[in-house]
Amino acid sequence: MRSKLSKIAVVGAALAATTVGLISTGPALAGPPLGTNTLAPGTGTAATAFSMNPPAGSSCTGSGSGVPAYRWQTYFVSAAVDASTLTYAAGPNPVAGQFVSPLYDSAGGTAVINRNPASSPLGLISGIPTFSLSSLVGQAGLVNGGYKMGIACTQAGALDAGKFWEVGIVLSNVTAAGFNYVTGALPGAPTLSALTSTSGQLAGTLTAGTAGSTATTGYTITATSPGQTTVTLTPATAGPFTLTGLVNGNVYTVSAIATNSLGDSVPSSPAQTGTPNQPAFAPVTGFTAAGAVGSVVLSWTAPAGDSGRTGYTISSPTAPGAPFTAAAAATTLTVTGLTAGTSYSFSIIATYPAGFTGTSAGPVSASAFGSAVVVQNISVNRPVGALVLTQRCGVQGPLPDASDFVFGSMPALGAFPASATGTNAYGNNPGVAEPTLGVGGINDPLYGQYPYPVDAAGIPNPNYPTNCGLNLGIGKLILTGPRAGQYFTAPGRMSQVTVVDTRDTNTLWTVNGTMSNFVTGGGTGNQTFLGDYMGWNPSVTDDSDVTLAGYDQTVTAGAAVEPWNAPGNTIAAGSGLGAPRTLASAAAGSGLGIATLDARLKLIIPLTALNGTYTATLSLSAL
């Protein structure tokens, strides 16, 4: 009698917890079971006596006689329960919405709980009785489906170091009088993606759940809607699917189950819902509003590719009498009774028979006039844009400090504008002058239009080259530091360059500079040295401010280029301006406007170069 009461108390506790919705608050996940129990016989009924044993040598961390004391427990739970989260007092703790119970022996129906592991070998699980499932017959919550049975080691009611062993079991033919069982696991519930709808159809993707103990043989997808015929689909494999034969405008609930040789999984959760419908037709095009005396005239072009149109509905939040309707063949509507000087907005949508919808167009706005008016249509062309690069000889913007270990102190420099007179910084520039067309050529006849010269038709022509001269003076020997006695230095300032971008494509642009080799005389022997001996410190002096519409030209100066290779500080091809280097750039979407660019020039002359006047060309290009 005492053992029977114990059984009733444990199962009753589980059922009561299910009723009031208690949730397991056991320890954190301890991972999967350590092994699979062996069940014999593997099939039977609720009355069948069977043995269940973990793998040979399965043991707890300690024995029942130790301190603290260890125990081994049994459990019979729904397949969805993670046994590693259970705790044990008088059997496993209840879990809301799931079946949870200990196992009972076949001799007297006693709950197999809180059993002592052996002292020797330490912790060995022994004395496992023969079990029977007859004590579970008629219990609330026990239904056809998948379950798990197992043995778990505990210490003070909590799982002992993740030590538990289990086996899957499937119940069938469950009644108040009994059931059948078979060892194995059903497939886990599949999942469904969100559904997309078309006319009479819902489509989605089915994803397989966890594998069962036998291969999944197929799936059943079911779509139900109140008052409508249930539609099913039975794909052999998971993946994309389309349910057809559905009624437009009805909300369908779609769920899926997986099947293997042992039976069906629980339904997918959550179920997905969808409403099949004919895709909306395209909106009207060319929808416009024009003011008239006491009215607004609306015009439009019918939607492309529609069929069965019954008319149009024109809505307005403020026009008296709205909404308005127009015939299916109409392309205009005059809305009257409007207040002069008041702006009204309108939207339009084509109408169709039930199950078909249109797409709204608008809003458009116009104001009614108070008296007769005349209208003059004004048109204007935006000119073709271009990327234009110009320079002003001897004009320079301010430059920041550029001191370094070779040139020494190079403090910040002020601007040298076009209106300046006298010597420029370093005293070497020839003064403000117009650029020429080529070296020694005529002054650029379009100089007066800088920074945006155009031809007679107003079209910009940024492609012709212009020339500015720059004299860096006489080099000065480096007297201190690691390069003392190795090079002459000749600093300078580049003539200011202006970039104007008016291209409506608003793509990126970059201004690059390349230095040719320095040559004197006939260019033989040591009468030349590399353009890589020239470096620069680029600077963006100005770019266009934010427009009234919020557009802001953003130009970034290129990196400083020294005429030596760091960290080795050696001169080599490609270390200076002998290869193309970026003076400045603008990213796509931020280049429109006018930007002015400057740079401090740094030239070192090797002592091995012969005496003489050397010339080279700094070529700048915008692309």
Side-chain angles (χ1 to χ4, degrees):
M1 177 65 71
R2 182 170 52 215
S3 62
K4 190 68 173 179
L5 288 174
S6 173
K7 176 196 74 172
I8 294 173
V10 173
V11 177
L15 297 176
T18 300
T19 301
V20 299
L22 297 179
I23 302 296
S24 168
T25 57
L29 292 180
L34 297 183
T36 302
N37 294 327
T38 301
L39 201 69
T43 62
T45 68
T48 301
F50 61 88
S51 64
M52 183 184 70
N53 294 293
S58 297
S59 62
C60 302
T61 302
S63 70
S65 60
V67 179
Y70 290 84
R71 300 286 186 266
W72 63 266
Q73 317 280 350
T74 65
Y75 60 84
F76 183 96
V77 296
S78 300
V81 175
D82 182 350
S84 71
T85 66
L86 297 175
T87 57
Y88 296 82
N93 65 271
V95 177
Q98 307 294 334
F99 189 86
V100 178
S101 172
L103 287 170
Y104 298 88
D105 65 30
S106 61
T110 301
V112 181
I113 59 174
N114 293 319
R115 298 297 179 94
N116 291 332
S119 297
S120 180
L122 181 63
L124 183 69
I125 298 173
S126 59
I128 302 173
T130 300
F131 300 95
S132 167
L133 301 178
S134 59
S135 296
L136 306 182
V137 172
Q139 297 299 328
L142 192 72
V143 296
N144 292 333
Y147 296 84
K148 296 183 290 193
M149 300 192 304
I151 293 175
C153 292
T154 61
Q155 192 277 312
L159 190 65
D160 167 24
K163 292 189 173 186
F164 69 105
W165 302 263
E166 69 185 18
V167 61
I169 187 172
V170 178
L171 301 189
S172 60
N173 302 319
V174 176
T175 68
F179 52 77
N180 297 328
Y181 77 82
V182 60
T183 305
L186 297 172
T191 57
L192 293 173
S193 69
L195 303 173
T196 57
S197 63
T198 54
S199 181
Q201 298 182 347
L202 291 173
T205 299
L206 175 70
T207 302
T210 56
S213 56
T214 62
T216 299
T217 56
Y219 300 87
T220 302
I221 304 171
T222 304
T224 60
S225 182
Q228 301 299 325
T229 301
T230 297
V231 175
T232 59
L233 188 66
T234 55
T237 60
F241 65 88
T242 300
L243 291 157
T244 60
L246 308 180
V247 178
N248 284 338
N250 287 274
V251 178
Y252 284 83
T253 300
V254 180
S255 63
I257 59 172
T259 302
N260 68 5
S261 60
L262 301 179
D264 298 330
S265 73
V266 297
S268 56
S269 180
Q272 299 293 337
T273 59
T275 305
N277 267 316
Q278 173 73 25
F281 288 112
V284 303
T285 57
F287 185 42
T288 60
V293 177
S295 62
V296 169
V297 179
L298 304 174
S299 302
W300 64 87
T301 300
D306 72 343
S307 60
R309 186 180 346 110
T310 58
Y312 297 93
T313 298
I314 296 94
S315 58
S316 173
T318 55
F324 312 100
T325 59
T331 57
T332 64
L333 177 72
T334 300
V335 181
T336 60
L338 305 182
T339 302
T342 300
S343 178
Y344 297 89
S345 66
F346 301 89
S347 297
I348 186 171
I349 187 170
T351 55
Y352 301 91
F356 298 84
T357 59
T359 302
S360 180
V364 296
S365 299
S367 296
F369 302 132
S371 60
V373 297
V374 295
V375 176
Q376 296 184 8
N377 291 328
I378 299 175
S379 63
V380 66
N381 287 331
R382 181 202 192 278
V384 175
L387 184 63
V388 179
L389 187 66
T390 58
Q391 61 181 338
R392 295 181 185 271
C393 302
V395 175
Q396 289 129 352
L399 293 172
D401 184 283
S403 302
D404 60 47
F405 76 101
V406 172
F407 284 79
S409 176
M410 303 185 77
L413 297 174
F416 195 84
S419 60
T421 58
T423 58
N424 201 341
Y426 304 115
N428 300 322
N429 288 341
V432 176
E434 299 178 10
T436 60
L437 301 183
V439 178
I442 63 171
N443 292 347
D444 184 1
L446 298 181
Y447 178 70
Q449 299 182 16
Y450 279 17
Y452 196 65
V454 296
D455 60 18
I459 306 300
N461 181 8
N463 298 320
Y464 60 86
T466 62
N467 180 76
C468 284
L470 183 65
N471 184 354
L472 299 184
I474 299 174
K476 296 182 180 180
L477 182 65
I478 301 173
L479 299 177
T480 60
R483 295 292 170 252
Q486 297 178 354
Y487 299 97
F488 297 99
T489 62
R493 298 172 75 174
M494 185 186 76
S495 290
Q496 191 171 76
V497 171
T498 302
V499 181
V500 182
D501 187 5
T502 58
R503 301 170 297 176
D504 56 8
T505 52
N506 200 9
T507 54
L508 60 84
W509 57 258
T510 301
V511 176
N512 290 324
T514 307
M515 198 77 208
S516 71
N517 290 341
F518 286 82
V519 179
T520 184
T524 61
N526 285 333
Q527 293 178 300
T528 183
F529 60 88
L530 295 174
D532 291 295
Y533 283 87
M534 177 72 84
W536 66 9
N537 290 76
S539 177
V540 176
T541 301
D542 189 31
D543 58 20
S544 293
D545 294 334
V546 180
T547 69
L548 297 177
Y551 182 88
D552 188 15
Q553 184 188 43
T554 305
V555 180
T556 304
V561 177
E562 306 293 354
W564 52 80
N565 257 335
N569 297 326
T570 59
I571 301 296
S575 59
L577 293 180
R581 304 292 185 177
T582 298
L583 178 63
S585 63
S590 61
L592 299 181
I594 301 175
T596 54
L597 314 175
D598 289 274
R600 188 192 297 263
L601 302 177
K602 295 179 176 180
L603 176 65
I604 57 175
I605 305 170
L607 291 183
T608 53
L610 297 181
N611 171 54
T613 299
Y614 288 81
T615 60
T617 299
L618 174 62
S619 299
L620 300 172
S621 61
L623 46 88

